[in-house]
Amino acid sequence: MNNRIYDKAIVDELARELAIPLPLARHSADEILAIVREGLIRDGAVTITHLGTFRLKPVTARMGFNPSTRERMAIPAHQRVVFTPAKALRDAAEPPRHPAVPIVVEAENTSTTTAAALAAITPDIAGGPMPLTAAPQRESTTPPVDIHFEIEPQPIPAAALRMTANNWETRAPVIATDKAPREHSKVNFILGSIAALLVGGYIAYLLSSPSSVLNTPTAPPALAEAATASAATATNFFFKEQRYRIVSGDSLWRIADVHYQQAVLWPHIYRANTTIIKNPDFLADGLTITIPGLEGQPDSLSENDRRNIAQGYFIAHLYYKTTGHKDADSALIMAKLYDAGAMDQVSTAQ
Amino acid sequence: MTASELIKTLSARLGVSQARARVVVESYVAGITRQLKEGNLVILRNFGTFGIKPVAEKRAYVPAKKSLCLIPAHAKLYFKPSEKLRAAASEAKPHE
């Protein structure tokens, strides 16, 4: 059990079974693997009867991090080898499984179950089980407090502090021509520089043609460059909408951190999936959600983004309020921070 | 590449009949299967590793019933491509 079997042992067995010389068996085995490798690169999929299918699966580029240094790094788009075992191989090799058990949420009949449980543990007391009377409902002496949301007395959530530290509102807009590009605006920079090159080439062409030597202005190149660069910035989305399948260990916070580079933007995802996600703190495995696109950059969001995020925080606030979650108030503060006017639209819509 | 294409290519390269090539592939696969059945790790150099790994019990969503279910702990067959195969795959041009 759990021994390491190398290809040599498989080849030995092959030679014995087919009664062929060992070198021929080794050559055959090498050829099979070589053909699979070549077919995989050429066609993207190779099927072997009773073994399974090897397939190339494209992986989109994303931001990851180096687990040892916690450093952010860009993972380029690439292809991954995935293997789907054939049913025959799974039936033969995998140990048998127990069937899945449905999780049933019991209706609220706790009083009868506690009565039954008490009756079960108290039969030995003289006089039989004690008569059970319904426990009086505990009533709160103070009426439910209507929370008025003044920002001053509330503690500022840590996420908000982190956001102000990033200067997300006061940061100057990206201008690709005069400053070194930031990490995530590389595409803008490339687009801008291509545009600048084109404009420069056109100007050079104008200069070289003798008729237009006199009336070629000197200032316009810079202006034109700036205009094309800003146009490129305006049309470029930071993140496009995509579908995502939940795996074990996922949370909205973590997904937002990976895809938007800022975990505090998680309500953007929550808002787009309110039909399938009720509790933002629980995601079931295998659920496919939509990760909406970001129009602006994570630290200079567009107006639509901010409104959506504010609405997401407000929906989270409404949910937290019904469950008495401690984060209900901070969710509301965050909603106000992003867009104070967005909450009216949500509350009228519901 | 389909299973029959694989056998055709193999018969051409080994200079044997297709029926013989099919037998070679089948007994090669059978050898791997036999080792996996015993719980062994099958390591094919410059190609990859086949093995059986345990999976912990987990909750999952059943879309058809719109409910949750508990998937008990089980064991699963996996294939881990070797460094060389992974490098070749990541450089291959995308299909479709």
Side-chain angles (χ1 to χ4, degrees):
Chain A
M1 285 296 275
N2 273 326
N3 294 324
R4 288 162 168 259
I5 300 294
Y6 289 87
D7 38 6
K8 189 177 175 302
I10 307 275
V11 167
D12 287 347
E13 211 171 328
L14 185 70
R16 222 178 305 128
E17 199 176 310
L18 297 179
I20 53 173
L22 196 59
L24 180 59
R26 191 176 301 136
H27 180 59
S28 312
D30 286 351
E31 283 297 340
I32 292 174
L33 293 187
I35 291 166
V36 171
R37 209 178 296 130
E38 286 159 21
L40 195 60
I41 305 297
R42 199 190 65 202
D43 299 343
V46 177
T47 307
I48 303 181
T49 319
H50 297 329
L51 188 75
T53 306
F54 298 92
R55 208 173 262 122
L56 288 187
K57 191 180 173 190
V59 183
T60 51
R62 65 173 196 275
M63 290 301 289
F65 68 89
N66 182 337
S68 59
T69 59
R70 312 284 301 169
E71 215 171 86
R72 289 264 183 195
M73 57 188 282
I75 299 171
H78 61 280
Q79 301 207 74
R80 205 156 57 90
V81 181
V82 291
F83 173 66
T84 317
K87 185 148 195 317
L89 180 62
R90 283 181 56 185
D91 288 348
E94 284 182 357
R97 294 185 180 194
H98 296 287
V101 188
I103 299 173
V104 183
V105 180
E106 286 289 331
E108 288 195 10
N109 51 1
T110 46
S111 60
T112 56
T113 50
T114 42
L118 274 174
I121 58 168
T122 51
D124 291 336
I125 300 172
M130 284 166 67
L132 281 165
T133 51
Q137 286 284 318
R138 193 183 290 175
E139 286 179 14
S140 58
T141 47
T142 51
V145 185
D146 219 25
I147 307 167
H148 294 287
F149 299 101
E150 301 302 331
I151 291 188
E152 294 84 40
Q154 305 281 358
I156 298 174
L161 282 176
R162 215 172 297 137
M163 212 164 53
T164 42
N166 281 345
N167 268 341
W168 53 280
E169 203 159 31
T170 53
R171 182 173 273 181
V174 188
I175 296 169
T177 47
D178 63 348
K179 277 180 187 166
R182 287 203 304 277
E183 221 20 63
H184 50 255
S185 61
K186 239 174 208 164
V187 179
N188 295 348
F189 181 69
I190 291 165
L191 282 178
S193 39
I194 290 169
L197 278 176
L198 287 176
V199 169
Y202 184 58
I203 300 283
Y205 168 73
L206 281 182
L207 278 172
S208 62
S209 62
S211 63
S212 61
V213 168
L214 284 174
N215 52 14
T216 307
T218 48
L223 281 177
E225 269 174 27
T228 43
S230 65
T233 315
T235 50
N236 182 46
F237 280 66
F238 171 69
F239 184 80
K240 277 188 188 152
E241 178 175 318
Q242 68 179 49
R243 303 283 287 166
Y244 177 79
R245 196 179 149 90
I246 304 284
V247 296
S248 178
D250 267 345
S251 66
L252 289 176
W253 178 270
R254 192 178 152 274
I255 295 171
D257 196 26
V258 169
H259 289 89
Y260 301 150
Q261 299 182 13
Q262 281 220 4
V264 284
L265 306 186
W266 66 265
H268 196 40
I269 307 172
Y270 179 48
R271 180 188 165 277
N273 295 286
T274 41
T275 48
I276 47 174
I277 304 174
K278 287 285 175 268
N279 181 354
D281 299 329
F282 173 71
L283 302 177
D285 284 3
L287 203 62
T288 307
I289 61 167
T290 309
I291 306 181
L294 268 193
E295 289 180 12
Q297 301 289 340
D299 48 8
S300 56
L301 296 165
S302 77
E303 215 162 274
N304 283 340
D305 289 337
R306 304 189 56 152
R307 193 178 58 238
N308 290 342
I309 292 163
Q311 286 179 359
Y313 268 118
F314 189 64
I315 298 166
H317 158 74
L318 292 177
Y319 177 80
Y320 284 153
K321 214 172 157 191
T322 55
T323 55
H325 195 284
K326 64 178 168 52
D327 286 345
D329 296 350
S330 19
L332 196 75
I333 294 171
M334 294 299 284
K336 283 200 167 184
L337 258 173
Y338 273 99
D339 191 349
M343 288 168 287
D344 309 332
Q345 297 170 21
V346 177
S347 45
T348 49
Q350 282 185 347
Chain B
M1 178 181 269
T2 59
S4 60
E5 277 170 29
L6 173 81
I7 283 160
K8 269 180 204 161
T9 321
L10 186 69
S11 80
R13 287 202 194 176
L14 294 182
V16 295
S17 69
Q18 284 187 26
R20 182 67 178 163
R22 190 184 296 274
V23 171
V24 171
V25 172
E26 274 172 8
S27 40
Y28 186 66
V29 169
I32 294 174
T33 310
R34 215 172 300 132
Q35 296 297 343
L36 287 171
K37 202 172 183 176
E38 287 173 22
N40 294 334
L41 205 65
V42 177
I43 302 168
L44 308 176
R45 275 170 305 161
N46 294 344
F47 188 75
T49 305
F50 292 96
I52 309 268
K53 68 177 173 185
V55 180
E57 108 178 353
K58 64 181 175 183
R59 283 194 289 178
Y61 180 72
V62 187
K65 292 181 186 170
K66 296 192 173 174
S67 66
L68 292 171
C69 74
L70 187 79
I71 297 176
H74 56 275
K76 190 171 102 176
L77 193 134
Y78 73 92
F79 170 72
K80 189 184 172 194
S82 73
E83 288 279 339
K84 275 192 180 174
L85 186 61
R86 240 182 297 161
S90 65
E91 284 166 14
K93 68 171 176 33
H95 302 273
E96 281 141 337

